[in-house]
Short mmCIF file of all heavy atoms in Angstrom, two decimals:
data_model
loop_
_atom_site.label_atom_id
_atom_site.label_comp_id
_atom_site.label_asym_id
_atom_site.label_seq_id
_atom_site.Cartn_x
_atom_site.Cartn_y
_atom_site.Cartn_z
N LEU I 47 -15.42 6.28 -16.93
CA LEU I 47 -16.31 7.14 -16.15
C LEU I 47 -16.73 8.38 -16.94
O LEU I 47 -17.87 8.84 -16.81
CB LEU I 47 -15.64 7.55 -14.85
CG LEU I 47 -15.44 6.43 -13.81
CD1 LEU I 47 -14.97 7.01 -12.49
CD2 LEU I 47 -16.70 5.62 -13.60
N LEU I 50 -19.54 7.35 -19.19
CA LEU I 50 -20.77 7.18 -18.43
C LEU I 50 -21.36 8.53 -18.03
O LEU I 50 -22.57 8.75 -18.09
CB LEU I 50 -20.50 6.35 -17.18
CG LEU I 50 -20.60 4.83 -17.30
CD1 LEU I 50 -20.17 4.19 -16.00
CD2 LEU I 50 -22.03 4.42 -17.65
N VAL I 87 -18.21 16.40 3.27
CA VAL I 87 -17.75 15.18 3.97
C VAL I 87 -16.42 14.69 3.40
O VAL I 87 -15.98 13.57 3.68
CB VAL I 87 -18.81 14.06 3.89
CG1 VAL I 87 -20.05 14.45 4.66
CG2 VAL I 87 -19.15 13.69 2.45
N GLY I 104 -19.33 2.52 0.94
CA GLY I 104 -19.36 1.63 -0.22
C GLY I 104 -18.01 1.26 -0.75
O GLY I 104 -17.66 0.08 -0.85
N MET I 177 -8.24 -2.05 -19.97
CA MET I 177 -6.85 -2.25 -19.56
C MET I 177 -6.24 -3.43 -20.31
O MET I 177 -5.10 -3.37 -20.77
CB MET I 177 -6.77 -2.50 -18.06
CG MET I 177 -7.06 -1.29 -17.20
SD MET I 177 -7.14 -1.69 -15.43
CE MET I 177 -5.42 -2.16 -15.13
N PRO I 298 11.27 19.03 -2.06
CA PRO I 298 11.62 20.21 -2.85
C PRO I 298 12.32 21.23 -1.94
O PRO I 298 12.05 21.30 -0.74
CB PRO I 298 10.26 20.74 -3.32
CG PRO I 298 9.33 19.57 -3.23
CD PRO I 298 9.82 18.76 -2.08
N ALA I 317 13.21 18.98 18.38
CA ALA I 317 13.76 17.97 19.27
C ALA I 317 12.66 17.20 19.99
O ALA I 317 11.78 17.78 20.60
CB ALA I 317 14.68 18.64 20.29
N VAL I 320 10.13 15.45 15.98
CA VAL I 320 10.29 15.13 14.56
C VAL I 320 11.51 14.26 14.35
O VAL I 320 12.58 14.51 14.91
CB VAL I 320 10.42 16.43 13.73
CG1 VAL I 320 10.81 16.13 12.31
CG2 VAL I 320 9.10 17.21 13.76
N LEU I 322 13.55 12.00 10.91
CA LEU I 322 13.68 12.07 9.45
C LEU I 322 14.17 10.74 8.90
O LEU I 322 14.86 9.98 9.59
CB LEU I 322 14.68 13.16 9.05
CG LEU I 322 14.63 14.52 9.76
CD1 LEU I 322 15.79 15.38 9.29
CD2 LEU I 322 13.31 15.20 9.47
N ALA I 377 10.83 -21.52 2.74
CA ALA I 377 11.76 -20.83 3.65
C ALA I 377 13.14 -20.71 3.03
O ALA I 377 13.80 -19.68 3.14
CB ALA I 377 11.83 -21.59 4.98
#
Side-chain angles (χ1 to χ4, degrees):
L47 291 189
L50 272 175
V87 294
M177 289 173 67
V320 170
L322 316 175

